[in-house]
Amino acid sequence: MPADEGSLAHRRHVPSRLVAPDSLTARLDLEEIFGRKAPLHIDLGCGDGSFLCALAQRMPDKNFLGIERLLNRVRTSARKAASLDNVRLLRMESFYAVRYLLPAESVERFYLLFPDPWPKRRHHRRRVVTPDFLGSIHAALEKNGSIYIATDDADYFRKIKGLAESDSSFAISDADVDLPPSKFGRIFREKGAPIQWLELRKISPLK
């Protein structure tokens, strides 16, 4: 569900990179939000914004939207993005935003890095990657668009891969991991934890 904190756009401690939707059901006007038309990349659960902002600096010709539900993380990300014209932030649950706010075929690439694995079996229903989630991702991706997924949790990786293999609307491959490090990526790498990567590329139905 969307965050219920209300609009943060007018609070002094949050720079204007924050998107404050007028409606929680209408699709976002991405060209208006960014002030230009460009390929869109979205970081789902962008955390402290380090990965998002590093990507935006690397690819200034693309637009970047970070989606994060936790207020303190949004504030930190907004401060880091203050000087980046191609970054916007949305305080929202990722699944809700993908399903209800993103226009169809509007996203070139999603990034889902280290989503909470909810390791206890009774909590597995809280995991974000579900058939419904993948269906919403597919609808939002443009032709041949993709989602990059990374996790250090072997069980969650197997479940995600199994869901993808049973979904004929995606082609599965190993992700190109030449990407800036995220906060959790650095932590897991320092601990020596193996990180699993997956790329799911949209397959459009034949007409």
Side-chain angles (χ1 to χ4, degrees):
M1 291 298 295
D4 59 358
E5 189 69 21
S7 174
L8 301 178
H10 303 297
R11 298 186 181 185
R12 293 180 181 179
H13 53 261
V14 179
S16 60
R17 296 294 176 237
L18 190 71
V19 176
D22 294 327
S23 167
L24 293 179
T25 56
R27 303 292 174 176
L28 297 173
D29 185 334
L30 296 168
E31 190 169 350
E32 180 180 354
I33 286 170
F34 286 93
R36 67 174 185 172
K37 188 173 183 179
L40 177 64
H41 287 211
I42 296 182
D43 187 6
L44 299 170
C46 64
D48 69 351
S50 56
F51 173 78
L52 175 71
C53 292
L55 270 184
Q57 289 175 312
R58 182 182 290 189
M59 294 183 277
D61 58 321
K62 300 182 186 296
N63 292 334
F64 289 85
L65 177 64
I67 301 176
E68 173 61 57
R69 70 178 181 85
L70 296 178
L71 179 59
N72 286 339
R73 291 180 179 179
V74 171
R75 289 173 174 169
T76 300
S77 298
R79 286 194 294 269
K80 291 181 179 180
S83 63
L84 297 172
D85 291 337
N86 61 333
V87 174
R88 299 292 184 271
L89 293 154
L90 176 65
R91 188 181 177 219
M92 191 78 63
E93 291 283 0
S94 291
F95 184 19
Y96 187 96
V98 173
R99 184 169 187 172
Y100 295 108
L101 300 186
L102 295 180
E105 300 184 344
S106 62
V107 182
E108 183 175 72
R109 179 171 295 162
F110 285 101
Y111 303 89
L112 180 64
L113 307 187
F114 308 104
D116 193 331
W118 295 102
K120 294 182 180 179
R121 183 177 297 276
R122 67 178 182 272
H123 293 157
H124 283 186
R125 60 185 175 81
R126 301 181 183 179
R127 291 173 168 177
V128 68
V129 182
T130 64
D132 285 345
F133 172 80
L134 291 179
S136 295
I137 290 288
H138 188 275
L141 284 172
E142 63 184 35
K143 183 179 180 181
N144 296 320
S146 66
I147 178 171
Y148 277 16
I149 303 174
T151 180
D152 67 307
D153 188 282
D155 175 69
Y156 198 12
F157 180 77
R158 286 193 296 270
K159 295 294 175 57
I160 292 172
K161 192 171 184 180
L163 286 174
E165 288 172 343
S166 65
D167 189 337
S168 61
S169 60
F170 287 102
I172 307 172
S173 63
D174 295 331
D176 176 5
V177 293
D178 182 21
L179 295 170
S182 67
K183 177 181 178 180
F184 285 112
R186 288 192 297 268
I187 291 172
F188 294 134
R189 192 170 292 111
E190 289 170 1
K191 290 181 176 179
I195 297 173
Q196 306 283 349
W197 285 87
L198 198 66
E199 179 185 13
L200 307 182
R201 185 168 295 279
K202 177 175 180 174
I203 298 175
S204 299
L206 296 176
K207 296 181 179 180

